[in-house]
Amino acid sequence: MKNYFKKVKSIFPALLVSILISTLVCFFLRYFIELKAEIDLKLVNWEFVIPLFIAVISVILMRNKFRVLQFENKEKDNFFYIFICLALIFSLIIISQMFFTKYFYKSIRVNDVSEIKFDRAISEYEINKLYVDQKQGKGDFQTKTVGRNGEKMQMQVFFIAPLFKDSASAKAISKVWYSEIKDTTISYSLSDKKKNAVAKKFIQHTIDYFEKKNFSKEHHFEKVFQSDEKETFDKLIMNHDKSALILKPVSNETKNADYFLYLYFKILAVGLIIILFSLIFIPYKEVKYDKKNDEFLSILNFLIPKKGNYFLPVIINLNLIYYFVLAFFQVDIFYPKTEDLVIFGAVSSDKIAQGEIWRLLTAIFMHGSLPHIVYNMLTLSFAGIFAKDIFGEKRLSIIYFTSGILSIIITLCFHPDNYVGLGASGAIFGMIGAIFGVSCANGFKDNKTIIFVTSGYLLLNVLFGLITNSDNVVHISGFLIGALVSWLFFIRK
């Protein structure tokens, strides 16, 4: 037990301090930016992006405390425990932000719409009597790419209409609006004819829904905070000065601030108990900090271009920078809209036909979602390290760009009409195909493990594509082009 308390002494105080400081930093940061400076950031920034950034920084600062954990199996490391602490800190910051919203933004009850107060500190309204003027209603139809590999398309119908006390007062100009979103998701690989048919059916179904809906039964509403959805509604009603109040119907069982405070301490207690219990089974060893064995510094070092290691760091950094630059321009960081991706360089058969050939290059650095870029960058890192040792920097760059560009061109040949897509996967599959190709050329018997792994990876992704109806053309063509280029390199050698 003596060593157990040494482990607890090394990890526990640092973890508690990290939790406390992380929660307070995010809490007061939002307090001064949103309430004092009255600068409205999108809610997703406060309830995901900023908490994740702060949690990662916190874990990086306390990572050395985990070095006292020594596994009997030297192949194991303390990453699992670091990840648990990261998940705990991240979850607690998110819950604290939900508490912030409920605590600082109050709810009120009014008899009718005319009694609504335009107060920044009010987020929830219970309205006993209301009238939604559907005749003045406005709508918008939008699509955006979703799914792990951007293989699905989400269709959304935005509906917004003015709120009044009753039908007699509907002739006046209202500053209060009712909003609602209906959506559906389909496969991107469907033909344009099927997509149009589904879209037409979905729009008609949505129109029927709003025409038949009894709006007078809705009484509980929540203010629409700054978000992509709010920006769409603002444009529909030309709310340029942001003076209009946009509400959306919610369940009357919304959680209050006390619930999130209780949830915060409950998750804190459960998380700490799990960590304390798990420390029992890990041996302790006094370890001095060694800069050479610092995993975080190793990752940073890998991402810094230097002699003999230019290509991979540059490509990974370009992918990451490109993705987050789009976020800076208010593109949805999780699931960007299709039209936004096209604006910033995605493959578009119509645009390329008009002469925008540069899209063949920019599309190689684009991804359909946050999970998509994380998955692609991990694959790029592992495959790239292996491929660089085989081909070298220059030849690897030729394989990467040739596979990426040619796989896009081949995909356009299969989908010539009104096609929109991304090309990062084609370039990455090109590297995997190159490893497969050179392994086959060097002999199956000596390289059968590598051949089975690379071909199995392609097969699994093709099967996944068939299940999800995603476009496998770019994956297969990228893989085959990479294999062909590597074979040509082998012949030349």
mmCIF file with all atom_site columns, all heavy atoms in Angstrom, residues 48 349 371:
data_model
loop_
_atom_site.group_PDB
_atom_site.id
_atom_site.type_symbol
_atom_site.label_atom_id
_atom_site.label_alt_id
_atom_site.label_comp_id
_atom_site.label_asym_id
_atom_site.label_entity_id
_atom_site.label_seq_id
_atom_site.pdbx_PDB_ins_code
_atom_site.Cartn_x
_atom_site.Cartn_y
_atom_site.Cartn_z
_atom_site.occupancy
_atom_site.B_iso_or_equiv
_atom_site.pdbx_formal_charge
_atom_site.auth_seq_id
_atom_site.auth_comp_id
_atom_site.auth_asym_id
_atom_site.auth_atom_id
_atom_site.pdbx_PDB_model_num
ATOM 1  N N   . PHE A 1 48  ? -18.074 22.299 -26.728 1.00 0.00 ? 48  PHE A N   1
ATOM 2  C CA  . PHE A 1 48  ? -17.250 21.224 -27.282 1.00 0.00 ? 48  PHE A CA  1
ATOM 3  C C   . PHE A 1 48  ? -15.830 21.688 -27.619 1.00 0.00 ? 48  PHE A C   1
ATOM 4  O O   . PHE A 1 48  ? -14.865 21.184 -27.044 1.00 0.00 ? 48  PHE A O   1
ATOM 5  C CB  . PHE A 1 48  ? -17.896 20.621 -28.531 1.00 0.00 ? 48  PHE A CB  1
ATOM 6  C CG  . PHE A 1 48  ? -17.118 19.451 -29.069 1.00 0.00 ? 48  PHE A CG  1
ATOM 7  C CD1 . PHE A 1 48  ? -17.373 18.180 -28.604 1.00 0.00 ? 48  PHE A CD1 1
ATOM 8  C CD2 . PHE A 1 48  ? -16.115 19.621 -30.032 1.00 0.00 ? 48  PHE A CD2 1
ATOM 9  C CE1 . PHE A 1 48  ? -16.645 17.088 -29.073 1.00 0.00 ? 48  PHE A CE1 1
ATOM 10 C CE2 . PHE A 1 48  ? -15.381 18.547 -30.502 1.00 0.00 ? 48  PHE A CE2 1
ATOM 11 C CZ  . PHE A 1 48  ? -15.651 17.273 -30.026 1.00 0.00 ? 48  PHE A CZ  1
ATOM 12 N N   . SER A 1 349 ? -18.009 18.410 -60.270 1.00 0.00 ? 349 SER A N   1
ATOM 13 C CA  . SER A 1 349 ? -17.921 18.141 -61.707 1.00 0.00 ? 349 SER A CA  1
ATOM 14 C C   . SER A 1 349 ? -18.326 19.360 -62.528 1.00 0.00 ? 349 SER A C   1
ATOM 15 O O   . SER A 1 349 ? -17.715 19.654 -63.563 1.00 0.00 ? 349 SER A O   1
ATOM 16 C CB  . SER A 1 349 ? -18.796 16.941 -62.065 1.00 0.00 ? 349 SER A CB  1
ATOM 17 O OG  . SER A 1 349 ? -20.139 17.145 -61.643 1.00 0.00 ? 349 SER A OG  1
ATOM 18 N N   . PRO A 1 371 ? -14.552 13.585 -37.345 1.00 0.00 ? 371 PRO A N   1
ATOM 19 C CA  . PRO A 1 371 ? -14.085 12.187 -37.252 1.00 0.00 ? 371 PRO A CA  1
ATOM 20 C C   . PRO A 1 371 ? -13.344 11.734 -38.509 1.00 0.00 ? 371 PRO A C   1
ATOM 21 O O   . PRO A 1 371 ? -12.396 10.954 -38.427 1.00 0.00 ? 371 PRO A O   1
ATOM 22 C CB  . PRO A 1 371 ? -15.386 11.396 -37.075 1.00 0.00 ? 371 PRO A CB  1
ATOM 23 C CG  . PRO A 1 371 ? -16.358 12.363 -36.502 1.00 0.00 ? 371 PRO A CG  1
ATOM 24 C CD  . PRO A 1 371 ? -16.005 13.685 -37.111 1.00 0.00 ? 371 PRO A CD  1
#
